[in-house]
Amino acid sequence: MTMAKRDTYTPESLLAVAVEVFIERGYDGTSMEHLSRAAGISKSSIYHHVRSKEELLRLAISRALDGLFAILREPGACRGRAIDRLEHVTRRTADVLMAELPYVTLLLRVRGNTDTERWAMERRREFDHQVRQLLERAAADGDLRDDVDLGLATRLLFGMINSIVEWYRPHGRGATDREQVADAVVRMAFSGLRTT
Amino acid sequence: MTMAKRDTYTPESLLAVAVEVFIERGYDGTSMEHLSRAAGISKSSIYHHVRSKEELLRLAISRALDGLFAILREPGACRGRAIDRLEHVTRRTADVLMAELPYVTLLLRVRGNTDTERWAMERRREFDHQVRQLLERAAADGDLRDDVDLGLATRLLFGMINSIVEWYRPHGRGATDREQVADAVVRMAFSGLRTT
């Protein structure tokens, strides 16, 4: 039993609490009761902000997806050689992942049976597909090595970027700078670690 | 209620069933009852093979760790320039991950409070640490680019390798060849995707 506090939540601050609980317990394992306890307000106060647990998930996932899809409309993603656009998208995807860490973490973990989860997975595949098309254009330009299958390259590139959620923490001692991490991803993926 | 079948399990075949259940339900979420149902034999038959659920976890994790640590004793990991040893270890780590897919998947997912889980995490850190030392030696030899922090490079390298568990499936149509995947990891990580 937790003392209910006065509901001073905005939709954004309530969402931030909900996302932490979803990540910790899994979306399926989270009840409105868990959300109420974590937020310190009653369930009916939560229903004052959102209609359902699934709406909270949709809002959280939208925030991640909006951040990611906005990258594809940036000038650096639309102009110039495909290889440079691909590098830009790689750098910015890593950057958005770190800037919107809990939201992107949730997006990456969603596997499920609700409409919202299916929609999230579908949109994530669409993003991957658009990046894959950039790899195809860069390969057609002769700017991409031809001894790595493009499907594999796309998977490994996202594998490297997405693995950042496993260890990156924005605050605290020894926190690594976002720019430094994004630079490292781009250097390793496009130029490789070897100097010799 | 499932009809119990005759217990024809070997320790290995029982372990294979248990690992699938651990991956699907999570180790904490798996009871002896779940294991009994998945194996189609009684709980007492399972206790004939192992003392506890935790012993099954220890056996499964040991199989993954034995495969990984054996790499570090291979000639390719012990002789020659550090950068070449590092490439060998990278290739073979990807290869062992695919060859022992469910066991390594379980190792990567373990986060927990039992002695066995703590031991698994400790051994995994030790493996990462030994690879990190190879990066340090390669850097000291001047064979590794000096504009990527070694800790970051280690994390991203393992991030790329470990992400293979998310999509690699050894059987079925369009199954990707293990060697092709391991080659792609080494090419991307050490030489990069760019040709220009």
Side-chain angles (χ1 to χ4, degrees):
Chain A
M1 186 70 197
T2 316
M3 285 292 284
K5 66 177 182 186
R6 201 170 137 250
D7 177 10
T8 56
Y9 282 103
T10 61
E12 288 70 30
S13 62
L14 182 62
L15 195 58
V17 173
V19 168
E20 295 300 337
V21 183
F22 289 157
I23 291 173
E24 193 189 322
R25 311 189 67 97
Y27 176 69
D28 282 342
T30 301
S31 66
M32 280 306 237
E33 181 63 31
H34 294 131
L35 294 175
S36 156
R37 262 184 268 156
I41 59 175
S42 67
K43 282 195 268 184
S44 63
S45 295
I46 293 183
Y47 284 119
H48 173 73
H49 293 286
V50 291
R51 269 166 308 181
S52 62
K53 186 179 86 155
E54 196 170 344
E55 186 177 347
L56 282 165
L57 180 69
R58 191 180 54 73
L59 290 169
I61 295 288
S62 293
R63 179 157 161 174
L65 288 167
D66 289 350
L68 291 171
F69 277 94
I71 295 169
L72 303 175
R73 297 189 301 272
E74 292 172 355
C78 303
R79 295 186 207 139
R81 284 183 86 83
I83 187 76
D84 298 322
R85 290 154 59 196
L86 180 63
E87 265 201 29
H88 175 86
V89 170
T90 299
R91 179 186 305 278
R92 292 283 297 128
T93 300
D95 197 46
V96 166
L97 177 149
M98 290 180 276
E100 303 288 352
L101 189 66
Y103 303 94
V104 177
T105 302
L106 188 62
L107 171 67
L108 295 177
R109 293 209 184 148
V110 155
R111 317 236 178 302
N113 300 311
T114 63
D115 284 345
T116 300
E117 288 167 282
R118 276 191 294 269
W119 162 79
M121 290 168 75
E122 179 54 45
R123 295 293 286 157
R124 196 183 147 195
R125 271 193 293 272
E126 174 58 26
F127 186 79
D128 291 9
H129 176 68
Q130 296 212 25
V131 175
R132 157 83 187 240
Q133 287 188 316
L134 272 180
L135 268 98
E136 284 169 9
R137 277 178 222 144
D141 291 341
D143 292 334
L144 216 63
R145 58 186 307 144
D146 60 6
D147 57 0
V148 173
D149 173 82
L150 292 179
L152 261 179
T154 310
R155 285 180 189 281
L156 294 175
L157 187 60
F158 278 112
M160 197 200 295
I161 297 170
N162 295 343
S163 73
I164 297 170
V165 304
E166 303 294 332
W167 55 268
Y168 179 77
R169 297 297 169 264
H171 306 298
R173 284 179 58 189
T176 313
D177 187 57
R178 256 158 56 188
E179 194 177 335
Q180 193 192 351
V181 177
D183 275 346
V185 168
V186 167
R187 284 172 186 157
M188 188 162 159
F190 291 94
S191 310
L193 290 173
R194 254 186 193 272
T195 55
T196 46
Chain B
M1 184 73 197
T2 316
M3 285 291 282
K5 66 178 184 184
R6 201 169 137 250
D7 177 9
T8 55
Y9 282 103
T10 61
E12 287 71 30
S13 62
L14 181 62
L15 194 59
V17 172
V19 168
E20 295 299 339
V21 183
F22 289 158
I23 291 173
E24 192 189 322
R25 312 189 65 97
Y27 176 68
D28 281 344
T30 301
S31 65
M32 280 305 237
E33 181 64 32
H34 294 132
L35 294 175
S36 156
R37 261 183 268 157
I41 58 175
S42 67
K43 281 194 269 185
S44 64
S45 294
I46 294 182
Y47 283 120
H48 174 73
H49 294 285
V50 289
R51 270 165 308 179
S52 62
K53 187 178 85 156
E54 196 171 344
E55 187 178 348
L56 282 165
L57 180 69
R58 191 179 55 72
L59 290 169
I61 295 288
S62 294
R63 180 157 160 175
L65 288 167
D66 289 351
L68 291 171
F69 277 95
I71 295 169
L72 302 176
R73 296 189 300 273
E74 293 171 355
C78 304
R79 295 184 206 138
R81 284 183 87 81
I83 187 76
D84 298 322
R85 290 155 59 196
L86 181 62
E87 264 201 31
H88 175 86
V89 169
T90 299
R91 178 186 306 280
R92 292 282 297 127
T93 300
D95 196 46
V96 166
L97 177 148
M98 291 179 275
E100 302 288 352
L101 189 66
Y103 303 94
V104 178
T105 302
L106 188 62
L107 171 66
L108 295 177
R109 293 208 183 148
V110 155
R111 316 237 177 302
N113 300 310
T114 64
D115 284 346
T116 300
E117 288 166 283
R118 276 190 294 268
W119 162 79
M121 290 167 75
E122 180 54 45
R123 293 294 286 156
R124 196 184 145 194
R125 270 194 294 272
E126 174 58 26
F127 185 78
D128 292 8
H129 176 67
Q130 297 212 24
V131 174
R132 157 84 187 241
Q133 288 189 315
L134 272 180
L135 267 97
E136 283 168 11
R137 277 178 221 143
D141 292 342
D143 293 334
L144 216 64
R145 58 186 308 143
D146 60 7
D147 57 358
V148 173
D149 172 82
L150 292 179
L152 260 179
T154 310
R155 285 181 189 281
L156 293 174
L157 186 60
F158 278 112
M160 196 199 296
I161 297 170
N162 294 343
S163 73
I164 297 171
V165 303
E166 302 295 332
W167 55 266
Y168 178 77
R169 297 297 170 263
H171 306 298
R173 284 179 59 190
T176 313
D177 188 56
R178 256 158 56 188
E179 194 177 335
Q180 194 193 351
V181 177
D183 275 346
V185 168
V186 167
R187 284 173 186 157
M188 188 161 157
F190 291 93
S191 310
L193 291 172
R194 254 185 192 272
T195 56
T196 45

